[in-house]
Amino acid sequence: MNGFPSESTLKYYRTIYPPGTRIQLDEMNDPQAIPAGTKGEILGIDDAGNALMKWDNGRSLSLAIEVDKFHKLQPQKEIEMQNSGSDDEVQEEEADMDISQI
């Protein structure tokens, strides 16, 4: 064993953490650690299974996926779609109510 993740593990990481994925750091065990709560964008996954990062605070320290604690953030587009979808449903329901009252 060479300490590197298997090809299937790398493929899995690259599937669930594609470039552009937004995350928030919960804990990092590193002497130069990024502060907990910092948000950032995954640029890619290297062959060692680390996430190459662009942190919102300007730093670029990689994230050790199997060691550091973090969680994915919901993409802004999904939030907007959910919000607009629920607004559309409410508007449609209100329109139906207005029509039935005539």
Side-chain angles (χ1 to χ4, degrees):
M1 177 115 180
N2 61 9
F4 286 91
S6 67
E7 285 300 318
S8 61
T9 299
L10 289 174
K11 183 177 179 179
Y12 174 73
Y13 289 160
R14 290 173 178 148
T15 300
I16 62 170
Y17 305 119
T21 299
R22 298 276 302 159
I23 62 110
Q24 182 171 339
L25 184 66
D26 297 320
E27 182 181 331
M28 181 180 274
N29 186 10
D30 187 281
Q32 301 296 320
I34 302 293
T38 304
K39 297 175 184 176
E41 178 180 339
I42 293 177
L43 303 176
I45 306 296
D46 67 16
D47 290 341
N50 296 314
L52 307 173
M53 296 297 303
K54 178 181 178 185
W55 295 102
D56 291 356
N57 65 2
R59 297 192 51 201
S60 59
L61 185 63
S62 292
L63 182 77
I65 293 175
E66 296 181 354
V67 176
D68 299 327
K69 294 181 174 79
F70 64 97
H71 61 275
K72 287 172 72 171
L73 299 173
Q74 188 174 18
Q76 186 62 35
K77 287 182 182 179
E78 285 183 21
I79 294 169
E80 290 169 2
M81 288 176 62
Q82 287 176 351
N83 289 340
S84 68
S86 61
D87 289 344
D88 290 344
E89 290 172 12
V90 169
Q91 290 172 356
E92 288 174 8
E93 289 174 6
E94 290 172 356
D96 289 342
M97 287 176 59
D98 290 342
I99 292 169
S100 66
Q101 293 175 356
I102 297 176

